[in-house]
Amino acid sequence: MASQAWCQKERVKNKAWFVRVLLTVFFRIIEIISDMIFWFIHKKKEKTILPPIENLLLLESASSLARKIRDQKITSEEVVKVFIGRIKVINPIINCVVDNRFELALKEAQKVDQMIQSGQKDKETLELETPFLGVPFTIKDCFSVTGLRYTAGLVKRKDIIGQFDSDVVALMKKSGAIILAVTNVSELCMWWESNNKVYGRSRNPYDTNRIVGGSSGGEAALLASGGSPFGIGSDIGGSIRMPAFFNGIFGHKPTRGIVSNFEQQPVAEKVLQTFLVTGPMSRFCSDLLPMFRILASDNITKLKLDEKVTKLRYFYLENFGKVPLLSRVHPDLKEAQMKVVRHIQQAYNIPVQKVEFSKFYHAMEIWFVKMSTGGNPTFAAELAMRQGEISIGTELLKFCVGQSDYTLPGLAMGFLEKFSLSSTHPTSVKMMAMCDELRRELQELLGDDGVLLVPPHPTPALYHNQPLTKPLNAAYTAIFNVLGFPVTQVPLGLGSWGVPLGIQVVGNLYNDHLTLAVATELERAFGGWVSPSTINC
């Protein structure tokens, strides 16, 4: 009997190995063919070069602009005018801003200038009460902003106007910042290319033939192009970090539950509310912490806010293993990660330990199970604005003849969720237990003084539509949403494709200050944001 059981176990093991090999070979063939096809399609397409930056204010951090406005070295009206002008010249090229309030913003800026010039409050009081007084900011089109379109990239929402401000917009306004515009997203923020049937496709400022990521892709592209000093994104599977990576800027995914998600679409309910996070994005790392303080509001007391990088322990993870349907990490990203490792070792004489966690192999399985068993309505229901469900089959047929109001990724998600497992299915139970085990293992590794360096994605920015052939590559960001850890995305210059490289800095729960401190050091060491435009000023 024991011999028969052993033989049966070996047969199952061999069958699983054979299936993995077949899937790996199949995916590699598809990947090679798709890479060749997309290269051939785009090789003759001209990159549209962004207009040069001709005003030094576009090169200032939001914190620096706020300080100069308080000191009356520049006016808020001047700053707002400069960024409006920049948006007007870049938006026809990269299609990132979808609605604006330029006239109202200018009037608000004028009131700010009048108040400062009146001397009602001294500079210290202004800094304490309104740290970003007079500085414009932008936000992705899934948050409610009074008077602006509130579509989340869904055709059924195209005529909806925000009736009040979401919590994070209200908090930024309270800090003195001036909302300027809302930016493009993927359909209902659930795909990693920002393209929808309402506003179309956003384009990467470094190569307009390539993606900006999603779902905060329009926001990241605008920031990278110098169209806004800083902005706000949200992230349930990498929607801050992937766009930040593809567009060469900084983005921070906070620890779960720190920043309010109130009044954004689609609404995350029950446990999904802990996977979804809202966070800051900027060209400059120096803006992330001051902005995070504002967005965290009363929850800031849960966090430490200062740390020296010389006191930390460092670890790095090269990849998630040889997952059959996951692209291998690009050589440029491997080298970028090793440059960071060597810098820490040489600059501070601190060892950086390589680690491996076998459970990362199942990252996307874990994320899918946690998302599908979280208690939210189906995606087909979300596409119907929770008024019943759309017919996925009918809409796929309509899509084939160009008549559907929905994108292919959205319809594909609605189709695939029909095969999702119940929370009591043995595979679901296994994946949820594995998630908890992985969280404990990482917490034990990181403690209160450790950070983990992880690739942000297997490849730099792909060509438009190419993510359809590599859908599971989001695993490198998505897993940290269900784990809940804080992650800061850091740009590391440009790679061989002419688009940005980067790295994720992961910390333990409530140790956002560690990842932000390391990001600041890496910006100092490697230069941070690289302008996609020439600078003529």
Side-chain angles (χ1 to χ4, degrees):
M1 291 293 291
S3 176
Q4 288 180 343
W6 181 85
C7 289
Q8 177 65 20
K9 185 176 180 180
E10 285 299 301
R11 279 195 294 269
V12 172
K13 183 178 178 182
N14 290 337
K15 184 178 179 180
W17 175 85
F18 183 67
V19 170
R20 281 199 303 272
V21 170
L22 278 181
L23 284 174
T24 301
V25 171
F26 174 75
F27 180 70
R28 294 292 162 257
I29 292 172
I30 294 295
E31 193 170 35
I32 291 168
I33 292 172
S34 76
D35 287 347
M36 292 174 63
I37 290 172
F38 281 98
W39 175 82
F40 182 78
I41 290 171
H42 290 281
K43 72 170 184 174
K44 293 183 180 179
K45 290 186 178 180
E46 290 287 333
K47 298 180 189 177
T48 305
I49 306 300
L50 294 188
I53 289 176
E54 297 181 328
N55 191 308
L56 285 173
L57 292 179
L58 297 173
L59 301 175
E60 298 263 6
S61 68
S63 302
S64 174
L65 290 171
R67 183 169 57 254
K68 289 183 177 181
I69 290 170
R70 288 193 300 271
D71 291 344
Q72 298 187 53
K73 293 181 179 178
I74 55 176
T75 65
S76 174
E77 183 180 8
E78 180 184 0
V79 172
V80 171
K81 278 184 176 178
V82 166
F83 282 98
I84 290 174
R86 182 64 176 170
I87 289 173
K88 287 181 176 179
V89 298
I90 63 174
N91 205 51
I93 299 172
I94 59 175
N95 189 35
C96 49
V97 169
V98 297
D99 200 7
N100 70 75
R101 56 190 303 278
F102 291 162
E103 291 185 8
L104 286 173
L106 284 169
K107 290 178 181 178
E108 290 169 8
Q110 291 165 0
K111 290 180 180 178
V112 166
D113 293 331
Q114 291 168 6
M115 187 270 285
I116 293 175
Q117 291 161 10
S118 72
Q120 295 174 19
K121 298 179 180 180
D122 59 31
K123 288 188 289 186
E124 291 73 20
T125 302
L126 290 175
E127 182 177 7
L128 180 65
E129 295 180 353
T130 50
F132 285 117
L133 183 63
V135 180
F137 76 101
T138 46
I139 192 167
K140 67 191 286 190
D141 173 30
C142 69
F143 290 89
S144 180
V145 178
T146 303
L148 295 187
R149 295 198 180 276
Y150 181 27
T151 76
L154 185 67
V155 170
K156 283 182 177 293
R157 296 184 58 86
K158 65 183 176 64
D159 296 321
I160 294 178
I161 304 296
Q163 299 302 305
F164 54 89
D165 291 329
S166 61
D167 281 356
V168 289
V169 172
L171 287 167
M172 289 299 292
K173 284 184 173 181
K174 186 178 178 182
S175 78
I178 297 172
I179 181 69
L180 197 57
V182 292
T183 51
N184 205 23
V185 297
S186 52
E187 187 175 48
L188 283 183
C189 302
M190 288 301 289
W191 185 238
W192 49 282
E193 177 171 13
S194 291
N195 179 36
N196 58 66
K197 291 296 187 79
V198 185
Y199 300 114
R201 188 188 312 278
S202 295
R203 303 173 190 88
N204 193 298
Y206 296 87
D207 182 344
T208 50
N209 294 317
R210 295 184 182 271
I211 66 172
V212 297
S215 59
S216 309
E219 188 64 35
L222 179 67
L223 293 167
S225 306
S228 175
F230 56 174
I232 298 173
S234 58
D235 189 318
I236 200 169
S239 290
I240 287 174
R241 290 160 292 149
M242 280 190 286
F245 163 53
F246 292 142
N247 295 276
I249 64 167
F250 292 87
H252 181 64
K253 180 198 103 55
T255 295
R256 63 189 182 193
I258 295 296
V259 178
S260 171
N261 295 320
F262 178 71
E263 199 53 40
Q264 64 172 293
Q265 290 290 329
V267 176
E269 297 177 353
K270 299 179 181 178
V271 71
L272 266 67
Q273 184 67 220
T274 67
F275 304 159
L276 176 66
V277 294
T278 298
M281 304 170 72
S282 178
R283 290 187 298 282
F284 304 100
C285 193
S286 58
D287 288 333
L288 295 188
L289 182 55
M291 194 178 179
F292 185 39
R293 288 175 187 264
I294 292 163
L295 298 179
S297 190
D298 294 341
N299 285 332
I300 201 68
T301 56
K302 297 179 181 180
L303 304 167
K304 298 177 183 177
L305 293 174
D306 188 31
E307 191 59 60
K308 293 183 178 178
V309 294
T310 55
K311 296 180 179 180
L312 304 183
R313 295 178 300 118
Y314 293 86
F315 306 92
Y316 72 100
L317 181 73
E318 288 186 334
N319 55 62
F320 284 5
K322 296 181 179 180
V323 184
L325 301 181
L326 194 60
S327 298
R328 301 296 178 253
V329 176
H330 191 277
D332 284 358
L333 290 169
K334 290 181 181 178
E335 178 55 24
Q337 184 182 52
M338 292 315 298
K339 283 182 179 178
V340 172
V341 169
R342 289 193 293 269
H343 168 72
I344 294 167
Q345 290 173 331
Q346 295 169 7
Y348 298 107
N349 195 29
I350 298 174
V352 183
Q353 181 183 340
K354 179 181 175 180
V355 294
E356 294 181 0
F357 290 89
S358 60
K359 294 179 180 66
F360 275 117
Y361 181 94
H362 301 281
M364 214 58 192
E365 295 169 80
I366 293 171
W367 185 81
F368 275 129
V369 166
K370 295 287 282 187
M371 289 288 290
S372 63
T373 59
N376 254 39
T378 65
F379 197 64
E382 297 286 8
L383 291 171
M385 292 180 61
R386 300 192 178 186
Q387 297 173 5
E389 292 188 354
I390 68 166
S391 171
I392 297 296
T394 300
E395 291 299 333
L396 281 169
L397 290 174
K398 289 168 68 176
F399 180 87
C400 292
V401 293
Q403 297 300 310
S404 179
D405 284 338
Y406 304 97
T407 63
L408 183 57
L411 294 175
M413 187 169 298
F415 175 75
L416 291 173
E417 73 180 351
K418 294 181 181 297
F419 303 96
S420 60
L421 305 175
S422 70
S423 59
T424 57
H425 189 281
T427 300
S428 296
V429 173
K430 178 182 177 182
M431 289 299 119
M432 288 190 279
M434 193 177 293
C435 182
D436 293 337
E437 291 165 8
L438 180 57
R439 184 184 297 110
R440 284 194 296 270
E441 290 174 10
L442 284 170
Q443 286 184 292
E444 289 174 7
L445 175 78
L446 297 173
D448 285 329
D449 62 349
V451 294
L452 177 65
L453 306 171
V454 182
H457 202 76
T459 71
L462 299 172
Y463 290 116
H464 295 304
N465 292 318
Q466 200 174 5
L468 289 166
T469 68
K470 308 169 193 278
L472 303 187
N473 281 1
Y476 279 81
T477 51
I479 186 63
F480 295 108
N481 290 86
V482 294
L483 293 172
F485 295 123
V487 187
T488 305
Q489 174 58 42
V490 181
L492 294 172
L494 306 183
S496 59
W497 293 359
V499 291
L501 304 176
I503 198 164
Q504 293 186 99
V505 183
V506 183
N508 207 341
L509 296 174
Y510 305 107
N511 281 348
D512 300 61
H513 62 296
L514 301 189
T515 69
L516 291 167
V518 174
T520 300
E521 167 58 19
L522 297 183
E523 179 182 38
R524 186 198 64 77
F526 296 99
W529 169 72
V530 176
S531 175
S533 304
T534 56
I535 298 174
N536 295 343
C537 51

